[in-house]
Amino acid sequence: MPLIRWDPSREIDDMFERYTKAVGQPRAGSQEVIATGDWAPRVDIAETDKAFQIKAEIPDINKEDVKVTVYNGVLTIQGERKQEKEEKGKKFHRVERNYGCFTRSFTLPDNVDETKISASFKDGMLNLQIQKTEEVKPKSIEIKVE
């Protein structure tokens, strides 16, 4: 087995990642609901004038094993990545990928239409399009005083 050079910054990054997974809490100021599960896929969230877009990286998972739901203003992505079965004659030197169940939940803003969410899954990438509603402009109503 070859020697691997020690990298202190990698050790700190690994320690921080293990800590945040153990605590299971989102970063301060986040709109994310506390995640539960063995691991959490990485996501990108973008916004245009007409929609929000969420891209979640979930490689090695079949689209049938992914479930996307919206309930009470919270969008949830759930699934499971199963670990490979041990094969005779195969010796693992390193296993860094996470296996098991995952859940990611996000609070949706008020200006989205929960009935107009579309999802596509290709090459391990889940793409969600969440259409915005037209903003309701406040109206001024005059009330006559008698």
Side-chain angles (χ1 to χ4, degrees), residues 38-106:
D38 299 324
W39 64 284
R42 304 281 188 205
V43 299
D44 291 338
I45 300 175
E47 179 180 5
T48 65
D49 293 339
K50 298 185 185 242
F52 289 94
Q53 181 181 38
I54 298 177
K55 289 184 176 184
E57 288 182 338
I58 44 178
D60 289 343
I61 296 178
N62 295 323
K63 75 176 184 177
E64 295 81 20
D65 297 333
V66 177
K67 181 179 178 184
V68 180
T69 58
V70 176
Y71 179 74
N72 207 15
V74 177
L75 179 121
T76 303
I77 304 168
Q78 301 175 44
E80 180 179 5
R81 180 186 295 144
K82 296 177 174 94
Q83 192 163 8
E84 294 178 24
K85 295 178 184 174
E86 284 191 33
E87 297 175 23
K88 290 186 177 186
K90 190 183 232 183
K91 181 170 131 181
F92 288 96
H93 292 278
R94 184 176 291 215
V95 177
E96 293 184 345
R97 297 185 308 147
N98 295 308
Y99 296 94
C101 297
F102 68 86
T103 300
R104 289 293 300 262
S105 296
F106 304 94

Side-chain angles (χ1 to χ4, degrees), residues 6-21 27:
W6 180 62
D7 182 3
S9 63
R10 188 177 66 198
E11 291 288 325
I12 292 170
D13 288 344
D14 289 347
M15 181 179 66
F16 183 72
E17 187 173 329
R18 285 193 309 269
Y19 171 76
T20 56
K21 282 182 184 178
R27 293 189 176 130

